[in-house]
Amino acid sequence: MGRYIARRCLQAVLTLFLVVFALHLLTTLAIQLNGNPALAFFGDRVPSATQLAAVEQRYGLADPCFDQPGNPCLGPFVDRVVAYAQGDFGTNLRGRDVTDIVVAAAPNTLRLFCIVTITWLVVGMTLGSVAARWRGKAVDHSVRLTSVLIDAFPVFVLLVVYRYVFSVPLSNWAEDRFGQGSLPALWFRPSFDDAHPWATVLVPGVLLGLAGSAAFVRLVRASQLECYSGEHVRTARAKGLPEHHVITHHVVRNSSVPVVTAVGLTFADALGGAVITEGLMNIYGMGGVLWQAVRASDVSLVVGVVTILSIVTVVVMIVVDIAYAALDPRIRYE
Amino acid sequence: MSDAVTAVPEVATSSDVASRTLTADAWRTLHRRPDTIVAAVILAFFLFVVAFPGLFTSADPQLCMISQSKIRPQGFGATHPFGTDAFGCDVLAQLAYGARPSLLLALVVVGVSLLIGVVLGLLAGYYLGWVDAVISRSIEVFLVIPLLLAALLLLSLFRNVSVGSGTFNDILLPATVLTMFGWMGYARYIRASVLEARGLDYVTAAKVLGASDVRVMFRHVLPNAIAPVTALVPTSIAGIIGAEAVLAFLGIGVRPPAISWGIMISNGAEWVTGGYPHLLLFPLGCLIATVLSLVVLGDALRDALDPRLR
């Protein structure tokens, strides 16, 4: 186990290095094809040569390789890796550290992910178990229909409809019914409120979780069906255990390993969803920062945030792999 | 994957017969389900719209009269059956012409990434060794950066690159970026099933008979490895259509003056509370109808090709 973890971590470091290199190559190519991003700093104004040089210096764009298409710019790459290793992910166009921005924004993203994960597990476990228990019956078919319907509404569509169609009437209704500033009124607020982070993140989180839950329903159903036909379940029934005991102890528990690890594996997808959710609902989280940065063409902020999120994804993937090996004794990687 | 194993005895005699029986079996399951037929009809309709938008509307989507803005839907037969938007553009014409970038983008992205995924997955699973090491490593690297984040990053980096106009040029940038980060899933699936199939007796038999590597890969290994991937295709097309809408909302996908459903949704969203819900509901309805049919089709395909879930 120790050796497996060590090897996996080494692999992850290599992957991380390659990811940073790939991002560097793409960014460099974009700068070479696109012209100088330092110009974005000045907006519509035309800078003098010295002003431009000062900005280029500050964002590390002074190297002449950025003017030669096809040059991989290895010198700036080394500088960049060294800066990353020291925790310096650059600054946005206003000079604020990307690390600062991300640290300030991270708690709201974590809140969102908490709610999303809970929604996944609750919806997935409930519907999936019910469908597996009454396989082939009407319940099973309606659960399947529900999961198809859920799949058919991408996160983006769900949130656009909620934000622009339902949120305002619902929050007006809640304010009339329960009073201004009451909890239900906060739930349905069309935008994020720093003073009530949990309440205003709740509904977007549930919607994002719902949009991703179809995969969980299918996964839970499939893995429980496998359990139902297993020998240990037949044994448990044969020795006369009551059905509810068989289900809770022998089916649900045994089938939950792939489900728990799937939470980690869908993390990358959920990050994309979080960007959409936070952007549309004005939640000040990492995704929201990225969304605003894209709108404002703040390229250095976009590069910084995407790099940080990729690092987080790599770490989550290792944790998932290790958890998988630890939870399921049948799996051994050598 | 189990169907690849069960198909072995037949495949040993002739790979052609086996692939036909699997397809025939899948087809039999598919056309007995009414929902798949409805989904297929809806998709066929939208593909027809993509091919011949001019048959559905006589208006020019780019000809917008600001004096005729925000007309509510008038019903068929009137000048503007679905009304006009905030700039006075005909909604029906925009819907018909906007279908093309949305669907074309999705088809191109999924087609090209499937091709890349199949080739790389085959090479990695068949040759193993350093080929596999390189391909698996690049799969891992690309998987780390989520599709949407990569698209946001690259499209904002390349925002000012001009690629000219015309339907294909409009979708060129988003298609390239989405393809670049969309092929890994197929490659992984294909690699896994090739690994399973390459050691089987009929493959060894073909090699012993002197078949070339290319022939073994495409005639013997691929037909059995492709089944699990086929079921992914409709769902991925649906995913790309959704992604296009997001990118359009941020102004970095298909760019105006070109029209796509995503752009219509992002323009129309603000007018719902202002009393013009049709500006959002028409494009949204088309998008949902397409995505829903694709998802239904994908679900049915997954069932037909994976007997374990029945």
Side-chain angles (χ1 to χ4, degrees), chain A residues 8 11 14-15 18-19 22-23 26-27 29-30 33-34 135 144 148-149 151-154 156-157 160-161 164-165 168-169 218 221-222 225 268-269 271-273 275-276 280 290-291 294-297 299 302-303 306 309-311 313-314 317, chain B residues 33 137 140-150 152-154 156-161 180-181 235 238 242 245-246 249-252 262 265-266 269-273 280-281 284 287-288 291-292 295-296 299-300 302-303 307-310:
Chain A
R8 200 69 194 79
Q11 257 180 11
L14 180 64
T15 310
L18 289 174
V19 167
L23 286 178
L26 290 169
T27 322
L29 184 68
L33 288 181
N34 212 357
R135 177 190 198 175
R144 150 187 232 129
V148 168
L149 280 179
D151 259 343
F153 287 83
F156 172 71
V157 168
V160 162
V161 171
Y164 290 99
V165 180
V168 173
R218 273 194 292 272
R221 179 176 177 270
L225 278 183
D269 283 343
L271 264 184
V275 175
I276 303 172
L280 275 176
L290 188 58
W291 182 275
V294 170
R295 293 211 121 166
S297 302
V299 174
V302 176
V303 174
V306 170
L309 289 178
S310 312
I311 294 173
T313 317
V314 173
M317 280 182 174
Chain B
R33 287 174 52 163
R137 191 64 35 198
E140 212 167 293
V141 168
F142 279 93
L143 268 184
V144 166
I145 312 171
L147 177 73
L148 191 69
L149 294 196
L152 291 184
L153 171 72
L154 292 179
S156 51
L157 280 174
F158 289 94
R159 187 190 297 232
N160 299 323
V161 175
M180 232 159 97
F181 287 85
T235 339
V246 178
F249 201 89
L250 277 167
I252 52 176
I265 291 175
S266 79
E270 298 154 30
W271 292 101
V272 175
T273 34
L280 176 65
L281 295 184
L284 203 63
L287 188 100
I288 291 177
V291 172
L292 181 63
V295 169
V296 166
D299 189 60
R302 186 169 43 216
D303 265 12
R308 282 173 305 170
L309 287 175
R310 275 180 208 159

Side-chain angles (χ1 to χ4, degrees), chain A residues 63-79:
Chain A
D63 203 292
C65 73
F66 285 114
D67 301 325
Q68 304 155 1
N71 189 329
C73 284
L74 293 176
F77 175 63
V78 174
D79 296 345

